């Protein structure tokens, strides 16, 4: 609205100035009256946009000269036109300042709203941080099930001392150190501790050269602990990961033993049949005795 009024006033003033260049000296008083009327309208617009009690914001913006220079006979039209253009420039400048003040006020309001939003966000309750604490590599197993007591069970001191006697290797291959430590725990009969340690190894080093050994031994740690249902998935995973891996054949045969322990004879026979066909060298060599024992426990078609 202000911009439109400014353009209208500017165009009207320019037309008035152009007309003044061709009007006779006798008509200059009429032009002066029209300019004063125009200034009065701009002041009214100022008061409407920025009302002030004392008017001190508006009067200095556009004001007529304190004294009016008498027109000379040499160039009367030039003096009138100059005065008109000067006042028109003042009007245009004042309207531009009004528009700028509008924009400043709008920006101030936007910044105030942003500060309020920031304060509200700062006062909002922060979410509880997720726990980043990792369990120790090996925690000695409790001697009684946790469900039987309301508090967390402490490991048996004798078992704790025995587990602490098993040292963890410290070489330049941390992955092999983790696997070897799990093997030592399993070999010592600490199956729950071995399960924990070997799980850490296979999850942290899935592409290590010992990974096939780790997955197979993890299955054995569960199977030897009387948990064939937990052992079977690890044997199957190790076999399917790479059938040519060093312990893939072992895992397939141990999978058959897990199925026998679960009394799932059909799947046990499937695993035994596939083992004999896929790994004939193992069936007649290193794993011959284990293979024969497993076959003797089930009757397969």
């Amino acid at each position: 609205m202000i911009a439109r009024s400014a353009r209208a006033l500017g165009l009207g003033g320019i037309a008035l100035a152009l007309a003044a260049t061709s009007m006779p000296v006798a008509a200059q008083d009429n032009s002066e009256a029209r300019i004063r009327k125009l200034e009065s309208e701009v002041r009214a617009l100022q008061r409407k946009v920025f009302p002030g009690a004392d008017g001190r914001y508006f009067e200095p913006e556009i004001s007529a000269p304190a004294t009016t220079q008498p027109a000379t006979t040499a160039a009367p039209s030039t003096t009138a036109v100059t005065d008109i253009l000067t006042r028109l420039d003042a009007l245009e400048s004042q309207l531009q300042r009004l528009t700028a003040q509008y924009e400043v006020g709008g920006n101030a309001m936007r910044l105030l709203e942003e500060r309020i939003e920031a304060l509200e966000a700062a006062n909002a309750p922060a979410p509880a941080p997720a726990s980043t604490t990792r369990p120790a590599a090996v925690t000695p197993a409790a001697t009684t099930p946790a469900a039987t007591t309301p508090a967390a069970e402490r490991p048996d001191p004798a078992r704790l001392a025995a587990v602490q006697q098993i040292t963890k290797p410290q070489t330049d291959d941390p992955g092999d150190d983790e696997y070897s430590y799990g093997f030592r725990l399993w070999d010592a009969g600490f199956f729950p501790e071995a399960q924990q340690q070997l799980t850490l190894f296979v999850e942290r080093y899935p592409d290590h050269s010992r990974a096939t050994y780790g997955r197979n031994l993890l299955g054995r740690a569960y199977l030897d602990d009387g948990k064939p249902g937990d052992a079977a998935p690890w044997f199957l995973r190790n076999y399917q990961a790479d059938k040519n891996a060093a312990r893939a054949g072992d895992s397939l045969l141990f999978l058959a033993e897990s199925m026998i322990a679960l009394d799932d004879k059909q799947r046990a026979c499937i695993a035994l049949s596939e083992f004999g066909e896929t790994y004939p060298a193992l069936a007649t060599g290193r794993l011959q005795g284990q293979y024969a024992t497993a076959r003797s426990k089930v009757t397969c078609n």
Side-chain angles (χ1 to χ4, degrees):
M1 181 65 181
I2 293 176
R4 189 179 300 111
S5 300
R7 288 195 295 270
L9 291 173
L11 292 174
I14 293 172
L16 183 60
L18 292 175
T21 60
S22 59
M23 66 175 58
V25 175
Q28 292 177 10
D29 291 340
N30 186 41
S31 298
E32 178 69 19
R34 294 176 67 183
I35 288 294
R36 290 184 181 281
K37 181 181 179 182
L38 185 60
E39 291 174 342
S40 177
E41 291 176 353
V42 171
R43 288 192 183 93
L45 176 62
Q46 290 176 321
R47 293 187 181 92
K48 184 176 181 181
V49 176
F50 300 104
D54 53 5
R56 60 190 177 90
Y57 298 111
F58 313 125
E59 295 300 333
E61 298 295 338
I62 359 173
S63 59
T67 59
T68 304
Q69 296 293 334
T72 61
T73 57
S77 60
T78 303
T79 302
V81 170
T82 301
D83 183 59
I84 290 170
L85 292 176
T86 299
R87 293 184 180 183
L88 286 173
D89 287 342
L91 289 172
E92 293 284 352
S93 177
Q94 175 62 9
L95 289 174
Q96 291 175 0
R97 281 192 291 272
L98 287 172
T99 302
Q101 291 179 39
Y102 260 130
E103 294 176 352
V104 170
N107 289 334
M109 181 62 70
R110 178 179 56 80
L111 292 174
L112 180 60
E113 292 175 350
E114 290 179 354
R115 291 186 62 186
I116 291 174
E117 291 176 357
L119 289 172
E120 290 177 348
N123 292 330
S131 175
T132 57
T133 304
R134 291 183 60 88
V138 171
T139 302
T143 55
T144 58
T148 61
T149 57
E153 290 292 336
R154 294 182 178 180
D156 177 64
R159 186 184 185 90
L160 176 61
V163 170
Q164 290 176 343
Q165 292 298 316
I166 300 175
T167 60
K168 183 177 181 178
Q170 299 291 330
T171 69
D172 57 356
D173 187 343
D176 190 76
D177 293 343
E178 297 291 353
Y179 167 75
S180 298
Y181 184 40
F183 177 86
R184 292 180 181 183
L185 289 168
W186 168 80
D187 190 51
F190 296 115
F191 300 132
E193 292 83 357
Q195 295 160 16
Q196 187 178 8
Q197 174 61 28
L198 292 168
T199 298
L200 182 149
F201 166 70
V202 298
E203 290 180 353
R204 187 175 295 178
Y205 301 95
D207 299 323
H208 195 274
S209 61
R210 290 281 193 177
T212 183
Y213 293 89
R215 290 188 292 265
N216 182 70
L217 189 59
L218 179 54
R220 293 189 64 181
Y222 279 114
L223 186 61
D224 293 341
D225 198 25
K227 300 175 181 177
D230 294 322
W234 284 109
F235 290 134
L236 180 61
R237 177 178 171 182
N238 193 48
Y239 169 65
Q240 292 179 333
D242 182 2
K243 295 181 180 180
N244 295 319
R247 288 294 181 266
D250 297 65
S251 289
L252 183 56
L253 185 54
F254 279 116
L255 177 60
E257 292 187 7
S258 299
M259 294 297 101
I260 294 172
L262 291 170
D263 200 26
D264 190 339
K265 297 180 181 180
Q266 180 179 1
R267 288 185 173 84
C269 289
I270 293 173
L272 288 170
S273 176
E274 186 165 350
F275 173 80
E277 293 178 1
T278 307
Y279 304 102
L282 291 176
T284 57
R286 178 170 63 86
L287 299 179
Q288 181 180 9
Q290 182 180 346
Y291 178 49
T293 301
R295 291 184 61 185
S296 67
K297 293 179 180 181
V298 290
T299 301
C300 300
N301 297 329

